[in-house]
Amino acid sequence: WQMGQALLFLPFFLVGHVLALLYQELGYPISVSGYSAPYYISTAVASVTFLFAGLILVYKTLHSFIDKRHALWVSLCIWLASPLIYFSFIRQRMAHTAEFFLASVLIFAWVHFRSSRDPFRYALLGALLGFLCMTRVINIAFFALFAVDLLWSFRSDWKTKAPEAFKKTMILGGAMLGGFFIVMLPQIICWNQLNG
């Protein structure tokens, strides 16, 4: 199993646990097993919170390219015309809203960091991608986006300063991979323990 959603939902789950303990102390028959109403409500709130935060980041990313009114309309349409509406109200505990939030964070950071040549920023992008893959491993496909963009950003340098461009591309790509593997390491260890 992926552990990214559990890490995101943990603060909300702990609030649900405290509420369940409080209700139990007050004499109500509430289980503290993680499956009673306080836990369900707190994780549903977590899901909606991350969905809303993701929509705000989508709006901010779009506003970098288009005016506020259109950015707002597109953000609302993304929510209302996609399965996110289903995961907002019916299946809140699935990983889709957490995945949407993390993808929104990653794309927001990528739009703002892509012109940078700072290896730390690329390591941060790799770490965000690692966290996204800890939520749903299928998101490994985002690597293709970054690889193509990194090569595209150095296209003019390849003709004039090929050795320098190659070195810089390798440094930035290595920083991204390093950030990715550092964040994914607990998940990889978990998979190894579960599956061998």
Side-chain angles (χ1 to χ4, degrees):
W1 295 98
Q2 285 19 87
M3 59 178 67
Q5 180 185 10
L7 292 172
L8 280 178
F9 281 23
L10 181 62
F12 295 87
F13 185 84
L14 292 175
V15 168
H17 183 65
V18 168
L19 288 173
L21 288 171
L22 179 65
Y23 278 122
Q24 204 175 51
E25 284 294 317
L26 293 173
Y28 292 100
I30 297 291
S31 170
V32 290
S33 63
Y35 293 101
S36 58
Y39 299 101
Y40 282 126
I41 293 168
S42 66
T43 54
V45 169
S47 181
V48 172
T49 301
F50 285 113
L51 174 79
F52 183 66
L55 286 171
I56 290 172
L57 285 171
V58 166
Y59 167 78
K60 290 193 166 290
T61 303
L62 288 170
H63 185 52
S64 302
F65 301 101
I66 58 178
D67 64 88
K68 286 183 180 184
R69 187 171 54 110
H70 287 99
L72 179 63
W73 274 108
V74 171
S75 300
L76 288 174
C77 288
I78 286 171
W79 177 49
L80 296 172
S82 73
L84 286 172
I85 192 84
Y86 173 75
F87 295 111
S88 300
F89 299 111
I90 298 174
R91 299 292 299 265
Q92 298 101 339
R93 281 156 215 78
M94 298 210 43
H96 296 76
T97 54
E99 176 187 27
F100 172 72
F101 168 71
L102 290 169
S104 301
V105 171
L106 180 66
I107 292 172
F108 179 81
W110 172 62
V111 165
H112 289 85
F113 290 174
R114 69 185 298 255
S115 61
S116 172
R117 298 294 181 251
D118 182 10
F120 176 76
R121 288 186 175 197
Y122 277 78
L124 181 61
L125 286 173
L128 287 169
L129 182 57
F131 202 44
L132 183 60
C133 289
M134 282 177 69
T135 304
R136 289 187 71 202
V137 76
I138 195 169
N139 293 308
I140 196 83
F142 273 98
F143 260 123
L145 172 73
F146 293 120
V148 169
D149 187 59
L150 189 60
L151 293 174
W152 182 259
S153 66
F154 282 102
R155 70 190 180 285
S156 61
D157 293 347
W158 285 100
K159 296 175 185 169
T160 57
K161 305 175 270 185
E164 189 177 309
F166 178 78
K167 180 181 174 185
K168 193 65 173 174
T169 303
M170 290 297 109
I171 290 171
L172 296 177
M176 181 177 281
L177 284 173
F180 174 80
F181 282 114
I182 288 171
V183 170
M184 277 294 288
L185 190 59
Q187 184 70 62
I188 292 168
I189 292 169
C190 179
W191 283 335
N192 185 49
Q193 292 295 315
L194 290 173
N195 307 315

